[in-house]
Amino acid sequence: MTHNGTLVDEARIHQEIEEQELLGCGVAFDEALVAYEVSADVRTLAMKRGCVDLVGAGPGDPMLLTLKALQSIELAEVIVYDKLVSEAIRERFPAQAELVYVGKAKGQHSLSQDEINRLLVKLALQGKRVCRLKGGDAFIFGRGSEEILVLKKFGIPVSLVPGITAATGCGAYAGIPMTHRGVSQGCTFVTAHTEKDSPINWQALVQLSHTLVFYMGVSKADEIAQQLLAAGAKAEMPVAVIENGCCPEQRTFTGTLVNLASLVSGNQVEAPALIVIGEVVALSEQLQWVVSMAETQEYLPA
């Protein structure tokens, strides 16, 4: 390949990256990116060859895939996908695509985030059209922004396809609105797993009087309840736990904040599951519309 009349040695470019430890070990990937200025040759190679679509797959039901997400899946040469991409969606992967699983579960990561970042860069520099597929929406607790920052540092073309996040998708399938006039004027999404230097402000959450939706909170249900109660939340505040939302295995359990932990343990709830806390949960029985998940997929094309 030539660039401005000069022969570009692609093998040397890949070796250069690895020697700088951007595709190797020993230095944190993000720190290395700050210290290393990507050469013009690397940028040219990326622009002329590979690209990455960062795609939100939604909460599980393939009927909730956007047209753009489905197009990206169908055109991909490589699909790099997460644990939360449902089996029903995986069944729609094209036979010719290379599949790379990079799923994460509590205490079990097939690849670290740094390794996933390096993988995406490597595939793009090999000239591959990559679909980076994430459950829900990549910009809501999906670390999608981190991956885009890395790819853009290398000049790799990136497009973002938003997806339906778990809160709205699973809430809808459980008959729970995020807002309702006269009941809740807002909603707040919270991750139960925070960095040590970014603790949750529990009092602020209670004072908001919003619907609270906790992602990745099953293992911390007792802590969530105790912290909210200590911050002044009502013991009888309605809560819901939605397991495997928008999938055939969906289960929904409702109760009150004071018994949230027993609601999870007594029903042996496992991840993926969402915790919804707020007065809107009390509307779920009246708003329930899903009789069976088969109904939601009635018009799914073969």
Side-chain angles (χ1 to χ4, degrees), residues 2 13 15 68 71 74 84 128 188 237 247 254 259 273:
T2 60
I13 291 173
Q15 181 180 2
K68 193 169 185 178
Q71 180 185 60
E74 291 173 342
L84 293 180
K128 304 292 179 65
T188 300
M237 177 69 71
C247 294
T254 58
N259 69 8

Side-chain angles (χ1 to χ4, degrees), residues 58-225:
D61 185 347
M63 280 291 283
L64 298 181
L65 282 170
T66 66
L67 292 175
K68 193 169 185 178
L70 187 58
Q71 180 185 60
S72 177
I73 291 170
E74 291 173 342
L75 295 178
E77 295 175 277
V78 183
I79 300 176
V80 180
Y81 67 100
D82 284 351
K83 180 179 177 62
L84 293 180
V85 176
S86 69
E87 180 180 355
I89 291 175
R90 298 197 303 271
E91 289 174 353
R92 306 191 70 79
F93 289 174
Q96 71 275 13
E98 176 187 350
L99 306 181
V100 183
Y101 175 70
V102 294
K104 299 174 183 176
K106 185 180 178 182
Q108 297 177 331
H109 292 187
S110 55
L111 291 178
S112 69
Q113 188 61 51
D114 280 354
E115 289 169 329
I116 293 171
N117 294 344
R118 292 195 288 269
L119 173 65
L120 295 175
V121 170
K122 186 174 183 179
L123 289 170
L125 291 179
Q126 289 173 348
K128 304 292 179 65
R129 179 165 187 155
V130 181
C131 174
R132 173 68 175 108
L133 194 61
K134 295 172 173 282
D137 182 274
F139 270 17
I140 299 180
F141 306 129
R143 305 191 72 169
S145 52
E146 298 174 41
E147 293 176 9
I148 287 184
L149 288 172
V150 170
L151 292 164
K152 289 180 73 68
K153 183 71 176 181
F154 279 87
I156 294 168
V158 183
S159 65
L160 177 69
V161 181
I164 295 175
T165 189
T168 53
C170 299
Y173 275 43
I176 301 172
M178 295 295 100
T179 63
H180 187 84
R181 188 172 61 173
V183 178
S184 175
Q185 282 65 53
C187 61
T188 300
F189 302 161
V190 188
T191 173
H193 294 272
T194 60
E195 300 295 327
K196 291 181 179 179
D197 57 350
S198 302
I200 296 172
N201 188 334
W202 299 98
Q203 285 192 330
L205 291 180
V206 172
Q207 290 169 0
L208 280 171
S209 296
H210 280 185
T211 303
L212 302 179
V213 183
F214 285 86
Y215 288 64
M216 299 167 283
V218 170
S219 64
K220 295 194 172 186
D222 184 56
E223 178 185 347
I224 291 169

